[in-house]
Every structure is written in C-alpha cells, then in structure tokens.
Amino acid sequence: MNGFGFDIVRYQPNSTPDEKLLQLLTYYKINTVIDIGASNGGYAKRLRGLGYRNKIISFEPLRSPYAELVKYSERDPLWYVHNYGFGNTNMSSIINVAENSDSSSLLEMLPAHEVAAPHAKYVGKEEIKIKKLDTVFSEFIGPNDIVYLKIDAQGYEHMILKGGNNSLEKINTIQVELSLIPLFKGQLTFDNLIDLLKQKGYTMVSVEPGFRNKLTGQLLQFDGIFHRY
C-alpha cells in the first residue's frame, strides 16, 4: 500500500518493549524484582500487567508517591514497599521535588531537561532517607532469588551502583536509565554508565525507548538492560 503512504509488515511477536521485557524476565528465570525509584508503582503495575507474578520489592523515598504505592500494593501479597531511596552511603538528604514527581532528584536539574520538559521543574524540597543497597540487600534477598534490579533515579544511578558494589555479584540483570546528554549536574552519561556496568561484569542485552524533547524529537534518555553472564 505504498501508494497511500503506508508500509504493511508482518506482525512480529516479542516486538514491543513490553513483550521483549517479559521474554527477558522469563528467559532469565527472574523471580525477584527490586524496583528503585518506584514513584507511585507504575513499573510494578506494568510487570503485573505483563503477567509477571513473582516478588517485587519497591522503594520510593517521597511521601506522596509512597502513599499511593502503599495503596496500590496492599492487595498484592508479593509486592513489598519501602519508604527510602538509595545512594553510596547511609544518610538523610534533601531531594528536589519535581512538579511531575517522576523527575525528582538529589541532583540539580540542567537547562536541557527543563527546556524539554517544563512540567518537570522543581517546585519544592523534601528530606528523605538514603541507604546503601549493600546495607539492606540481605534483608530482602535469599539464596534462591534470581534478581532483576530496576533503577530510576534521575541522574543518581552511578551512586546507587557504588553503594551496591558487593550486591551486584548476586544481581542477575539490571535495567537503568541512560542519558545521551547530561540532564542533571554530576550524572554519568550513557557511555560512562555502560562502561561502569561492563567493569562490573554486565553486557547490554536490550534497550527501551525513553524521554524525548517533544519540540525537536531528540532522544534524551533511554533504558538499557544489562545481564551478567
């Protein structure tokens, strides 16, 4: 039907991000998902919608989205939620709260982010608890758990990985946001974060589309999925 400006192609199973994610979770026999930066539970709800029925452990430091997280998870016996964030040390800290909540970060937002997403501007601050993943990992993870770690931390990813250095040896697969350009002051861009994960023994096995500048179409962020072989 090229005369109408369309191409017709055969439908390919496992072609959407959701289908590819479910395929990876199934193939790697994942039975525990650690959801860091859970917000109000969107990622966990996505997993349940895909048919993933095993354990999810969600962490959200902000009070308001955490309250929603509690509400959504209370009828799910394998979904556990906790009200703190992660970094490279155990401490209390001040987080910048974004208007859309999802863009809240411990780091200063850069102009490129503000221009691309005006709704993500900071509107306040909140004191939160930060813990090292290494400090709490054994509280939640047992010897038979095959772990998938999802990090949504708005530029703070490398600090979380640093605080979980010992735990990474027990983490099967990692999904992390990768930025093509700096969006937060002090964050690692995609190439540096990929190199860091390579040094930890991980290989990128899949990508998911992410955040774009809606005015220009420029891709600013995407999710990389990394597996330890």
Side-chain angles (χ1 to χ4, degrees):
M1 296 182 67
N2 287 330
F4 293 95
F6 296 95
D7 288 326
I8 296 178
V9 297
R10 183 182 298 276
Y11 170 74
Q12 297 292 330
N14 305 320
S15 61
T16 70
D18 280 353
E19 289 164 335
K20 290 176 181 177
L21 177 57
L22 179 59
Q23 187 178 23
L24 286 174
L25 292 170
T26 303
Y27 182 75
Y28 294 140
K29 297 180 173 60
I30 301 298
N31 60 20
T32 302
V33 172
I34 297 176
D35 176 20
I36 292 178
S39 188
N40 63 1
Y43 187 80
K45 287 184 282 186
R46 175 189 176 194
L47 294 181
R48 291 299 190 233
L50 291 176
Y52 173 80
R53 293 291 176 258
N54 292 310
K55 183 165 58 175
I56 301 173
I57 311 168
S58 294
F59 299 89
E60 171 52 46
L62 289 173
R63 289 189 297 270
S64 181
Y66 175 72
E68 294 185 59
L69 192 62
V70 170
K71 180 178 66 175
Y72 288 128
S73 65
E74 59 187 1
R75 295 185 180 181
D76 188 330
L78 290 179
W79 185 4
Y80 308 90
V81 301
H82 303 275
N83 187 206
Y84 54 88
F86 287 93
N88 68 326
T89 188
N90 299 310
M91 63 180 182
S92 293
S93 188
I94 301 297
I95 192 170
N96 300 296
V97 180
E99 182 178 327
N100 68 352
S101 181
D102 291 338
S103 297
S104 301
S105 176
L106 288 162
L107 304 177
E108 177 185 342
M109 186 180 292
L110 294 177
H113 194 303
E114 295 176 353
V115 170
H119 61 287
K121 67 179 183 295
Y122 291 154
V123 294
K125 295 180 181 293
E126 187 174 314
E127 185 175 1
I128 62 170
K129 292 180 180 179
I130 298 290
K131 297 187 180 184
K132 293 172 59 175
L133 185 58
D134 282 346
T135 300
V136 301
F137 192 79
S138 62
E139 296 178 20
F140 307 111
I141 302 303
N144 297 320
D145 289 332
I146 303 174
V147 179
Y148 187 103
L149 171 64
K150 190 277 294 181
I151 302 175
D152 184 354
Q154 303 302 310
Y156 214 63
E157 299 83 8
H158 64 293
M159 303 301 281
I160 293 172
L161 292 171
K162 185 176 180 180
N165 188 58
N166 296 328
S167 304
L168 292 180
E169 294 183 3
K170 302 173 185 176
I171 294 175
N172 179 285
T173 308
I174 297 176
Q175 179 175 347
V176 63
E177 272 190 333
L178 301 170
S179 293
L180 292 171
I181 64 171
L183 299 175
F184 297 90
K185 186 176 181 179
Q187 79 172 123
L188 294 186
T189 50
F190 77 103
D191 46 353
N192 292 318
L193 202 50
I194 289 172
D195 285 344
L196 175 61
L197 286 165
K198 282 183 178 179
Q199 293 169 16
K200 302 296 184 183
Y202 291 90
T203 300
M204 184 184 285
V205 294
S206 188
V207 298
E208 292 192 357
F211 170 44
R212 290 182 181 271
N213 184 319
K214 293 183 179 180
L215 294 177
T216 67
Q218 179 184 3
L219 181 66
L220 302 176
Q221 280 183 332
F222 65 98
D223 274 22
I225 300 176
F226 299 80
H227 178 69
R228 178 188 288 277
Y229 286 99

